[in-house]
Amino acid sequence: MTAAPDDIAAVTASDLTVAYGSRVIQRSLSFTIRKGDIVSIMGGSGCGKSSLLRVLMGLTPPAAGKVYYGREDFWGAPAPAREAIMRRTGVMFQSGALWTSRTLAENVALPLEYYTTLSPREIRDIASFKLSLVGLAGFEDFYPSEISGGMKKRAGLARALALDPDVVYFDEPSAGLDPVSAARLDELILQLRDTLGMTVVVVTHELASIFANASNSVFLDAKTKTMIAGGDPHALLQNGPDDVVEFLTRGRGRGHGDIQ
């Protein structure tokens, strides 16, 4: 992967340093996320995956370096321009982060109410459509407490899709799900990418999800505090650095094939 923005880049990190005060989490990160990619940000616990995601999403500024959306310098832009870029992204949080006092349709409607001038009827119709995209048609008037954990994740995804984003970020989307529900969510993410043409960035440690969906990856190393590999996870399994292969095989080493 390259750090040079180009016409087919959705998001580019250039010499990025992620830090909290004087505490450096990751340094010298350079990679390109191409349009239509499903990119897995992976690495061991505590390596800074979610911290990097916050910088890419626009929630935390980097200590150094740049983030580009296309050719737009995100953190170098004035606040109104950054907000406009952020409206072209969607986020599915680990827990779903639904408002418990609102129905599923009302949760999905929130971004539309805040950022558009659509009528209540139009907003309701769009919310119903987004819920149908994730397999929740007919659940518009249910509250989060009335549905399963997997359904909450899908409702959170419907809300992330509310503004038709170019890029959707996922923070540990399979966390807390049983293997069958996790596999169905993986299939849904892949289907939506193919149908809507969006770019997907996923923070995860779930190997099944990585091998099933990711067309590209960024591997963060906690010891060196930098990116030590990137690319197709299947290729990394065969030719990646030892630490990456150990991660991708659950410590079994080279020659054991994809871990599903």
Side-chain angles (χ1 to χ4, degrees):
M1 290 185 286
T2 174
D6 58 41
D7 292 335
I8 59 173
V11 184
T12 304
S14 179
D15 203 23
L16 204 62
T17 294
V18 179
Y20 295 104
S22 61
R23 182 187 173 209
V24 174
I25 308 299
Q26 287 285 323
R27 60 168 62 90
S28 303
L29 303 179
S30 293
F31 55 85
T32 294
I33 297 169
R34 303 300 178 105
K35 294 176 182 177
D37 263 352
I38 297 181
V39 176
S40 175
I41 298 176
M42 57 186 183
S45 298
C47 69
K49 300 184 294 293
S50 293
S51 296
L52 171 59
L53 194 69
R54 290 179 61 84
V55 172
L56 297 178
M57 287 163 44
L59 298 180
T60 304
K66 296 180 180 294
V67 174
Y68 295 94
Y69 276 80
R71 293 184 176 274
E72 298 176 85
D73 179 359
F74 178 80
W75 287 106
R82 290 201 305 272
E83 291 171 3
I85 292 172
M86 290 175 72
R87 286 196 291 273
R88 289 159 28 204
T89 70
V91 182
M92 178 182 162
F93 295 98
Q94 186 176 140
S95 64
L98 300 173
W99 290 89
T100 58
S101 61
R102 287 178 171 255
T103 65
L104 301 191
E106 289 169 343
N107 267 279
V108 177
L110 275 172
L112 296 163
E113 293 169 352
Y114 194 81
Y115 290 115
T116 76
T117 57
L118 296 170
S119 70
R121 176 61 182 271
E122 290 172 319
I123 289 174
R124 172 77 181 191
D125 288 345
I126 292 172
S128 295
F129 174 66
K130 299 300 182 180
L131 286 166
S132 71
L133 283 179
V134 300
L136 291 175
F139 286 87
E140 290 86 351
D141 296 324
F142 281 62
Y143 287 88
S145 61
E146 299 174 316
I147 60 177
S148 69
M151 294 169 76
K152 290 176 185 176
K153 299 267 191 181
R154 285 185 276 149
L157 176 53
R159 186 179 58 194
L161 299 175
L163 296 175
D164 298 320
D166 299 322
V167 182
V168 180
Y169 293 102
F170 294 81
D171 187 6
E172 298 284 4
S174 300
L177 297 182
D178 63 82
V180 174
S181 297
R184 287 175 178 166
L185 183 59
D186 288 338
E187 292 170 2
L188 177 60
I189 292 171
L190 189 60
Q191 177 186 349
L192 290 172
R193 189 282 305 268
D194 293 342
T195 302
L196 303 178
M198 63 191 189
T199 302
V200 176
V201 182
V202 185
V203 164
T204 185
H205 64 276
E206 298 289 344
L207 298 184
S209 296
I210 291 169
F211 286 120
N213 283 1
S215 57
N216 213 337
S217 68
V218 172
F219 190 92
L220 304 181
D221 181 57
K223 292 180 291 186
T224 59
K225 295 186 178 181
T226 194
M227 172 183 169
I228 61 172
D232 187 321
H234 296 88
L236 290 178
L237 183 65
Q238 303 301 321
N239 303 307
D242 289 344
D243 286 349
V244 178
V245 174
E246 287 290 302
F247 177 88
L248 292 174
T249 60
R250 296 198 183 100
R252 297 172 63 194
R254 298 181 191 274
H256 286 278
D258 294 2
I259 306 299
Q260 301 296 331

